[in-house]
Amino acid sequence: MVHSMTGFASESGSAPGIAWTLEMRGVNAKGLDIRVRAPDRMVGFDQKLKTLFQKSLTRGNINVTLRYEVDGGSSGAQVDQIALDGYLKAAKAVEDQAAKLGVTLRASSATDMLSLRGVMVAGDEAGALPPEAEVLKTAADAMLAFIKMRQTEGTALHAVLETSLGQVTTLVQEAAKLAEARKDQVAATLRDNLARVLDNSDGADPDRVAQELAMLAVKADVTEEIDRLNAHVDAARALLAEGGAVGRKLDFLMQEFNREANTLCSKSGSTELTRVGLDLKALIDQMREQVQNVE
């Protein structure tokens, strides 16, 4: 089963006097980029969350947001006493060391302390911190819900891509019939051109002229392109059946599809075959847009 890189999940948890919510949002990306926004007071917890998610996710731009509220908190800004005490202890240690070294420091003001990160917080975040172990459990639940949504989206993507591959097969079959039907016409045209050249060229080497025309005939043959397009369809279906993180391989395969369709158009030599080639290119572009969301 293939997974989409698009997903959303939200899980909540609580402990006596405090509640929290963790949200995950994911969109497509070339690699894995996890960005965590956790309260400043929970120092280093963002890295713990990132490590948790990295164990189960392989691609996507993932944004994680953790919020918490303390029961009975005020809606206005408050001083976080825990954070302030930490800064004051650190400032005291710096001042003591400076005094030992004979270094004079400028006195800190209350404004300096209030401007430090995490000292002023919203009233509903002041006080106790949510228990990290419980928050990690909530994060694990959110990740499972997030992955499940990606699986659901991936199932829909799988169906869309299978339908598109069926349409590619139909167009390739049509191209093969058109190419077969024009063989006699191409051969007759080359014979006429050869006769015309020989009749109007004094001293031309007939063998050389025939060789050049034979090379033109080879260049006009689209058999290899049709065979490769059929092979690419088989490869794409195999990757979809394989499942897992196959998005990059599918994206590379779409480039190969497009290359063969371009060559088919350039070698077509007929309006109908060119039309089929252009239809193929349009369909391949649509497939590539869908593939961009496959993990």
Side-chain angles (χ1 to χ4, degrees), residues 141-220:
D141 291 340
M143 184 170 62
L144 289 177
F146 181 74
I147 291 174
K148 184 176 180 180
M149 183 174 182
R150 287 179 124 193
Q151 290 174 340
T152 302
E153 293 285 337
T155 300
L157 274 175
H158 190 147
V160 169
L161 290 172
E162 281 287 3
T163 299
S164 296
L165 288 171
Q167 295 172 339
V168 168
T169 298
T170 299
L171 288 172
V172 172
Q173 290 173 347
E174 184 180 354
K177 291 178 181 178
L178 291 171
E180 183 65 28
R182 73 178 187 140
K183 279 186 176 180
D184 293 340
Q185 178 185 353
V186 171
T189 300
L190 287 172
R191 284 194 297 270
D192 291 342
N193 289 338
L194 175 59
R196 189 177 300 110
V197 170
L198 292 176
D199 290 342
N200 295 278
S201 300
D202 295 333
D205 182 357
D207 292 337
R208 178 62 178 173
V209 174
Q211 184 181 10
E212 292 294 333
L213 290 174
M215 292 177 64
L216 291 175
V218 171
K219 291 180 179 179

Side-chain angles (χ1 to χ4, degrees), residues 28-293:
N28 62 311
K30 291 184 178 180
L32 179 62
D33 182 14
I34 301 176
R35 302 180 182 181
V36 179
R37 294 181 59 188
D40 292 339
R41 299 177 68 213
M42 300 180 71
V43 179
F45 192 65
D46 55 343
Q47 187 57 48
K48 293 181 181 180
L49 288 173
K50 186 178 293 188
T51 300
L52 173 67
F53 299 135
Q54 286 173 338
K55 294 178 180 179
S56 300
L57 304 174
T58 57
R59 286 186 73 196
N61 189 331
I62 317 297
N63 286 291
V64 181
T65 302
L66 173 64
R67 302 184 183 89
Y68 71 87
E69 295 181 357
V70 177
D71 291 349
S74 168
S75 60
Q78 294 186 15
V79 173
D80 184 336
Q81 196 61 50
I82 296 175
L84 179 59
D85 288 347
Y87 281 123
L88 290 174
K89 289 178 181 178
K92 181 65 167 60
V94 171
E95 289 173 353
D96 290 345
Q97 184 64 24
K100 290 180 182 179
L101 298 175
V103 177
T104 302
L105 300 178
R106 181 179 65 85
S108 298
S109 66
T111 302
D112 293 332
M113 287 297 174
L114 291 175
S115 65
L116 294 173
R117 181 178 178 180
V119 173
M120 293 297 295
V121 296
D124 54 4
E125 291 185 354
L129 291 172
E132 290 191 359
E134 293 299 318
V135 176
L136 286 174
K137 290 180 182 179
T138 301
D141 291 340
M143 184 170 62
L144 289 177
F146 181 74
I147 291 174
K148 184 176 180 180
M149 183 174 182
R150 287 179 124 193
Q151 290 174 340
T152 302
E153 293 285 337
T155 300
L157 274 175
H158 190 147
V160 169
L161 290 172
E162 281 287 3
T163 299
S164 296
L165 288 171
Q167 295 172 339
V168 168
T169 298
T170 299
L171 288 172
V172 172
Q173 290 173 347
E174 184 180 354
K177 291 178 181 178
L178 291 171
E180 183 65 28
R182 73 178 187 140
K183 279 186 176 180
D184 293 340
Q185 178 185 353
V186 171
T189 300
L190 287 172
R191 284 194 297 270
D192 291 342
N193 289 338
L194 175 59
R196 189 177 300 110
V197 170
L198 292 176
D199 290 342
N200 295 278
S201 300
D202 295 333
D205 182 357
D207 292 337
R208 178 62 178 173
V209 174
Q211 184 181 10
E212 292 294 333
L213 290 174
M215 292 177 64
L216 291 175
V218 171
K219 291 180 179 179
D221 185 13
V222 295
T223 303
E224 289 187 7
E225 285 70 31
I226 290 172
D227 289 343
R228 281 195 287 265
L229 283 167
N230 283 322
H232 293 340
V233 169
D234 292 340
R237 284 179 169 150
L239 285 173
L240 290 174
E242 175 186 333
V246 296
R248 289 179 178 174
K249 293 180 181 179
L250 283 170
D251 188 39
F252 174 77
L253 198 54
M254 291 303 109
Q255 297 177 44
E256 297 301 306
F257 266 110
N258 194 55
R259 182 178 291 109
E260 300 305 331
N262 282 332
T263 306
L264 181 67
C265 288
S266 66
K267 295 171 65 173
S268 67
S270 73
T271 303
E272 283 301 303
L273 195 52
T274 299
R275 175 189 59 78
V276 173
L278 292 175
D279 288 345
L280 271 171
K281 282 175 59 63
L283 184 56
I284 291 165
D285 283 342
Q286 293 174 10
M287 289 174 60
R288 191 170 185 182
E289 288 180 5
Q290 297 296 331
V291 165
Q292 298 301 313
N293 287 322

